[in-house]
């Protein structure tokens, strides 16, 4: 029986599958490889802390949070595991370590919710390690891929709290397993000849996308659930160790690649419009373990596009506002909006919540005259309440007036969207018992 699957169909499927990997590589190349990049953090297997929250000047990651100073760890697990040590952290302060593999699966957590606030040592191993954990290790964490990314978040209460956050960040320690055990290190592996990454725009339409994907797949052993998928990709030159020379494509091949990539973006747009914008699915549905995602590659791509490296739902839930209560796109060039929490109906969380503004199409924080990019739990005491105890937030470009400015979240003079973050959400935030208020357009 002749298959109806075309080359464009396979390129579409491979693009949806590979987009999170290629976009993640773009970011991590800027962080840990390209020393000339302004986003460069430092070497692999060393934690690098940013002792401030993110601002509009930070442009490497789309939809960054501005609640928690970050610490970044690029983990090269090819030669041996690493040991990640965390200090005692006050139970009143939320912190987390999010473990992300090359597929962008969140495969493990350490921190307030997952392991508690006590100090600990956690061994992070790659797919090829077959040893045993030594004494003093509180947990073993396995990565499917030979490179991984660990994203630390440390809650900042206010500006006066920054020195304490810096102190905690200085206690985040990483050692190779041989250093932790005080034994000789295994033989060094040859350095990797990393490919130049694609720009965000080139990732959307350049056939070189598949050359980068092939490069990355060599560090990601085939999962049993994807053997058939990889066989299908292989027939079109996509897979670990295969050469995908975009300059040697025939006109027919080039057309199939272009069609496949375009159709992948069409599939994303439909998914966003019908699932995310309507609230049927959260943007967090594409973040989690492989077991949670069940190889839902379109959800994984959508979440990467909308905010790569988002947390799994148990760690943080992300209601997103792309449209107002009537389903119209948000645009502050001509409209103002209000978002009202009824008395006693703030987001139900064990840690804290925030509502952050992002300008479109960049999906980045937006500059404004009061340098306010979000409203969050630590600001609750300063918010103005109505006579009934409700809290109305004013989402607009111009000030709503001095008396309402404590509740003002400045918007750009153009299209935007909002992300609510519910850190360590309570069951009511996940099971639909509590629902976020809608953004209402006002005259």
């Amino acid at each position: 029986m002749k298959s109806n699957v075309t080359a464009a169909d396979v390129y579409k499927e491979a693009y949806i599958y590979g987009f999170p990997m290629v976009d993640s590589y773009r970011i991590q190349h800027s962080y840990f490889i390209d020393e000339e990049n302004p986003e460069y953090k430092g070497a692999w297997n060393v934690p690098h802390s940013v002792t401030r929250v993110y601002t509009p000047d930070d442009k490497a990651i789309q939809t960054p949070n501005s609640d928690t100073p970050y610490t970044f760890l690029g983990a090269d697990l090819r030669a041996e595991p690493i040991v990640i040590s965390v200090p005692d952290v006050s139970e009143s302060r939320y912190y987390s370590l999010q473990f992300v593999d090359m597929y962008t699966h969140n495969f493990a957590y350490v921190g307030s919710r997952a392991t508690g606030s006590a100090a600990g040592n956690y061994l992070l191993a790659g797919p090829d390690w077959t040893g045993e954990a030594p004494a003093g290790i509180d947990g073993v964490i396995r990565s499917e891929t030979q490179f991984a990314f660990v994203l630390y978040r440390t809650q900042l209460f206010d500006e006066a709290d920054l020195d304490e956050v810096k102190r905690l960040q200085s206690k985040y320690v990483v050692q190779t397993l041989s250093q932790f055990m005080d034994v000789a290190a295994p033989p060094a592996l040859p350095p990797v000849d990393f490919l130049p990454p694609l720009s965000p725009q080139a990732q959307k339409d350049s056939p070189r996308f598949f050359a980068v994907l092939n490069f990355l797949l060599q560090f990601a052993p085939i999962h049993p659930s994807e053997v058939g998928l990889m066989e299908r990709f292989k027939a079109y030159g996509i897979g670990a160790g295969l050469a995908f020379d975009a300059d040697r494509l025939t006109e027919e091949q080039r057309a199939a690649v272009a069609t496949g990539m375009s159709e992948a973006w069409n599939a994303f747009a439909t998914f966003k419009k019908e699932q995310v914008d309507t609230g049927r699915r959260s943007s967090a549905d594409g973040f989690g373990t492989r077991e949670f995602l069940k190889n839902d590659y379109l959800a994984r791509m959508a979440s990467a596009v909308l905010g790569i490296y988002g947390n799994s739902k148990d760690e943080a839930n992300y209601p997103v506002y792309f449209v107002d209560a009537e389903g119209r796109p948000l645009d502050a060039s001509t409209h103002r909006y209000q978002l009202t929490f009824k008395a006693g109906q703030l987001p139900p969380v064990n840690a804290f919540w925030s509502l952050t503004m992002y300008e479109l199409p960049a999906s980045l924080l937006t500059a404004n005259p009061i340098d306010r990019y979000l409203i969050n739990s630590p600001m609750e005491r300063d918010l103005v309440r109505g006579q009934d105890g409700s809290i109305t937030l004013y989402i607009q470009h111009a000030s709503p007036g001095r008396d309402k400015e404590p509740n003002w979240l400045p918007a750009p003079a153009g299209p935007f969207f909002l992300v609510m973050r519910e850190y360590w959400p309570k069951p009511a935030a996940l099971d639909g018992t509590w629902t976020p208020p809608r953004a209402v357009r006002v005259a």
Side-chain angles (χ1 to χ4, degrees), residues 62-63 268 271-272 276 283 287 301-308 320 322 363 417 419:
Q62 59 269 38
T63 328
F268 159 75
F271 181 90
K272 176 181 174 295
V276 179
S283 61
F287 302 127
M301 174 189 173
S303 292
V305 173
L306 297 174
I308 196 166
V320 180
F322 285 104
S363 296
F417 69 101
V419 176

Side-chain angles (χ1 to χ4, degrees), residues 100-119:
V100 187
D101 66 18
M102 294 176 68
Y103 298 108
T104 67
H105 296 136
N106 296 335
F107 61 92
Y109 277 92
V110 166
S112 302
R113 178 194 63 84
T115 57
S117 298

Side-chain angles (χ1 to χ4, degrees), residues 258-302:
T259 299
M261 296 176 76
S262 176
E263 289 183 354
W265 282 105
N266 290 339
F268 159 75
T270 300
F271 181 90
K272 176 181 174 295
K273 179 179 179 180
E274 296 180 355
Q275 300 296 324
V276 179
D277 290 358
T278 60
R280 290 190 180 96
R281 300 187 69 174
S282 164
S283 61
D285 286 342
F287 302 127
T289 62
R290 180 183 288 278
E291 293 72 24
F292 172 79
L293 291 177
K294 296 181 175 61
N295 290 353
D296 186 343
Y297 305 124
L298 183 55
R300 191 174 76 189
M301 174 189 173

Side-chain angles (χ1 to χ4, degrees), residues 138-170:
D138 296 287
V140 175
I141 299 170
R142 300 299 301 247
S143 170
E144 274 190 40
T145 56
Q146 294 178 340
F147 289 90
F149 183 42
V150 186
L151 191 55
Y152 301 57
R153 295 175 175 88
T154 310
Q155 184 179 4
L156 174 69
F157 297 123
D158 52 36
E159 290 185 10
D161 183 48
L162 188 57
D163 284 344
E164 178 59 17
V165 169
K166 291 179 180 179
R167 187 190 70 80
L168 289 170
Q169 289 178 324
S170 72

